[in-house]
Amino acid sequence: MQSTTNPQGKTACLVTFGCQMNKADSERMAGALTHLGYRIVEESDCADLVLFNTCTIRDNAEQKVYSYLGQQAKRKQRDPHITLVLAGCVAQQEGEKLLRRVPELDLVMGPQHVNRLSDLLERVAEGEQVVATEPIEILEDITKPRRDSAVTAWVNIIYGCNEGCTYCIVPSVRGREQSRTPEAIKAEICELGELGFKEVTLLGQNIDAYGRDIGTNLAVLLRFIHDAPGIERLRFATSHPRYFSDELIATCAALPKVCEHFHIPFQSGDNEVLRRMARGYTHQKYRAIIEKIRATTPDAAVSADLIVGFPGETEEQFENSLRLVDELEFDALNTAAYSPRPGTPAARWPGQLDDEVKQDRLQRVNRLVAQKAFERSQRYLGRTEQVLVEETNPRDPSQVAGRTRTNRLVFFAGELAKLRGQLVDVQITAARAFSLTGTAI
């Protein structure tokens, strides 16, 4: 396969699908491409290198990848000097099969190889068609990420996942758990503080598992990094109820920089469905975690993930999930209809539900989610909230947008040039389900 041998002055476009982990990986790959001499652009149809960072959690995301990739393959047929890269979970899942499906690809690379992008592109430049999906030890990356924001940043602290959830393909595409050292994590965060970043979100597929392979844990890490100069706020995601400890709850309550927001997926409110999902907890244990958080930090916001229509899920079992949503009153909830993923146990099980049933349940739970989120938002009315300003309100250029410590989006009048990165006290005057409006004090 032909490829550009001298990237100086060339352009690159990264198209990212999926979760925050993928977005963080794309920032690192953009940093590597910038270091090589590429200029990052938004439009893929005119870029010299196009990289798709893919997600395979749900089928519709995977099909969208193939649609985009097909368009670029036709473009490469007209201009063989274009470099096409497929990274992420679809790349890891399909491997060499992708080259038979899309022979125009130059590089197929799994998530564990993100830090090796420069070396892999060098092999491509030498005329090799490269597939990099073998399990490796993830090394520290000396290339600085190209951050999409100048205010908030993601920092990976653990790669991979050791869980065996029967619906999830993540362990097979992202590999086994590998924790970064506390020293490397703190060094990256301190550098972010020096560069003017105000907020850091620690990332991991199962972040509560951090450190069990190196003899520490997330609570200890939070205490270790808490004094990083310049950083005003710390967040972390995504948590697993099996490992969310009392020590972590107490630590978050005690550390001023740790925001009062917890994202803890429950996936189902029915114990039999949870057992078949191999989640390792009951809905009673999940409820106890939320009760402890709210007892320790009364104003904490809690968000979660829920899957409806899991194979064999009865109407009664679905209603148990509805009951949990109604009683725990989440501030936000990511919902999805079950989507069979290749290679997962649940994809082969009998009892697959019709799409009509899954969509009906999804609509019903989403109505309840919006109602509960609206009710939770009302507590902000008349209050003064500290908002970290990040960007302009895309629907009203006279307003800026930022988030409270509890992760509620807030709009208020102001100039971004003066307020970006500032912590502003805002009196809340309007409350919607998932956003607020206020006036700067």
Side-chain angles (χ1 to χ4, degrees):
M1 304 295 279
Q2 295 185 26
S3 179
T4 300
T5 56
N6 179 15
Q8 294 298 326
K10 300 291 184 178
T11 58
C13 176
L14 290 85
V15 182
T16 306
F17 302 85
C19 65
Q20 290 177 322
M21 294 288 288
N22 269 21
K23 293 174 183 177
D25 287 346
S26 288
E27 287 186 344
R28 292 197 174 277
M29 290 188 287
L33 292 170
T34 301
H35 182 73
L36 287 173
Y38 285 97
R39 178 170 59 88
I40 306 299
V41 296
E42 297 295 325
E43 295 297 327
S44 60
D45 288 342
C46 59
D48 299 295
L49 182 149
V50 180
L51 186 154
F52 294 103
N53 191 13
T54 61
C55 174
T56 187
I57 295 297
R58 285 183 260 284
D59 184 61
N60 59 350
E62 187 173 338
Q63 295 310 312
K64 188 180 292 186
V65 168
Y66 285 120
S67 175
Y68 281 48
L69 186 56
Q71 296 170 24
Q72 291 300 318
K74 291 179 181 177
R75 183 170 162 246
K76 176 151 184 167
Q77 291 168 8
R78 298 190 298 269
D79 181 2
H81 293 94
I82 294 167
T83 304
L84 287 186
V85 180
L86 194 74
C89 295
V90 171
Q92 183 68 36
Q93 174 184 295
E94 298 299 320
E96 290 190 2
K97 289 188 290 185
L98 279 164
L99 300 185
R100 295 192 290 272
R101 183 168 181 171
V102 188
E104 293 82 5
L105 277 166
D106 295 291
L107 170 59
V108 175
M109 55 179 286
Q112 296 180 67
H113 294 264
V114 164
N115 295 355
R116 298 183 58 226
L117 178 60
S118 297
D119 294 337
L120 297 173
L121 285 176
E122 187 174 324
R123 291 170 56 188
V124 170
E126 293 172 353
E128 187 178 350
Q129 193 177 30
V130 181
V131 176
T133 55
E134 68 278 7
I136 61 169
E137 180 180 353
I138 298 173
L139 303 176
E140 282 297 323
D141 188 3
I142 61 173
T143 303
K144 300 298 184 290
R146 181 183 182 272
R147 306 286 181 181
D148 287 339
S149 167
V151 180
T152 65
W154 291 306
V155 173
N156 288 99
I157 68 168
I158 181 172
Y159 300 100
C161 180
N162 288 359
E163 300 305 303
C165 302
T166 56
Y167 57 83
C168 185
I169 199 168
V170 166
S172 65
V173 294
R174 284 195 170 267
R176 306 291 290 172
E177 290 172 359
Q178 295 184 50
S179 299
R180 296 177 66 195
T181 67
E183 293 75 18
I185 295 166
K186 186 168 186 177
E188 183 175 350
I189 293 173
C190 287
E191 183 173 5
L192 289 168
E194 292 174 3
L195 293 172
F197 287 84
K198 294 295 195 299
E199 179 179 297
V200 165
T201 300
L202 308 178
L203 290 183
Q205 211 72 47
N206 173 14
I207 201 161
D208 309 306
Y210 171 78
R212 60 182 179 180
D213 54 335
I214 57 173
T216 185
N217 63 43
L218 181 57
V220 172
L221 177 69
L222 287 171
R223 294 194 290 269
F224 179 64
I225 65 175
H226 189 264
D227 62 353
I231 301 300
E232 302 285 347
R233 292 179 173 183
L234 292 169
R235 303 183 188 274
F236 57 90
T238 295
S239 294
H240 192 302
R242 182 185 290 181
Y243 306 104
F244 206 92
S245 68
D246 291 349
E247 179 190 7
L248 182 58
I249 294 172
T251 298
C252 291
L255 297 178
K257 290 184 181 180
V258 177
C259 292
E260 297 84 6
H261 172 240
F262 301 88
H263 185 75
I264 315 174
F266 63 92
Q267 305 300 9
S268 174
D270 182 84
N271 285 346
E272 174 59 20
V273 175
L274 287 171
R275 185 192 67 77
R276 298 180 74 236
M277 287 179 166
R279 291 290 288 172
Y281 54 87
T282 62
H283 76 82
Q284 290 92 341
K285 177 177 180 179
Y286 185 87
R287 290 168 185 269
I289 291 170
I290 306 307
E291 289 170 2
K292 289 176 184 177
I293 289 173
R294 288 176 171 161
T296 306
T297 309
D299 196 46
V302 179
S303 58
D305 298 344
L306 166 65
I307 297 171
V308 302
F310 189 72
E313 182 189 64
T314 65
E315 175 65 22
E316 181 181 0
Q317 290 169 336
F318 168 68
E319 289 177 359
N320 285 338
S321 291
L322 283 179
R323 186 176 301 108
L324 188 146
V325 173
D326 182 50
E327 293 173 357
L328 292 188
E329 300 184 316
F330 295 94
D331 292 77
L333 187 63
N334 301 323
T335 61
Y338 169 75
S339 175
R341 306 313 299 130
T344 59
R348 303 187 299 270
W349 289 348
Q352 303 290 329
L353 302 186
D354 293 339
D355 287 342
E356 293 80 6
V357 173
K358 290 190 281 190
Q359 289 305 313
D360 173 68
R361 291 178 182 178
L362 192 61
Q363 292 172 13
R364 287 158 62 192
V365 75
N366 282 345
R367 287 194 293 269
L368 180 59
V369 167
Q371 174 193 329
K372 292 298 178 181
F374 178 80
E375 292 171 1
R376 287 286 289 167
S377 275
Q378 302 314 299
R379 75 189 193 275
Y380 294 105
L381 281 173
R383 281 174 28 175
T384 297
E385 291 289 318
Q386 184 193 72
V387 176
L388 177 59
V389 179
E390 299 179 44
E391 58 188 358
T392 299
N393 179 354
R395 296 186 177 180
D396 185 349
S398 70
Q399 294 182 330
V400 294
R403 292 187 179 271
T404 66
R405 289 176 59 90
T406 53
N407 209 40
R408 261 297 186 268
L409 185 63
V410 180
F411 304 110
F412 65 95
E415 296 180 41
L416 186 64
K418 295 180 180 179
L419 294 175
R420 188 198 296 270
Q422 299 299 309
L423 291 165
V424 180
D425 287 334
V426 179
Q427 186 172 29
I428 305 303
T429 57
R432 295 167 294 279
F434 303 109
S435 65
L436 311 169
T437 299
T439 303
I441 297 176

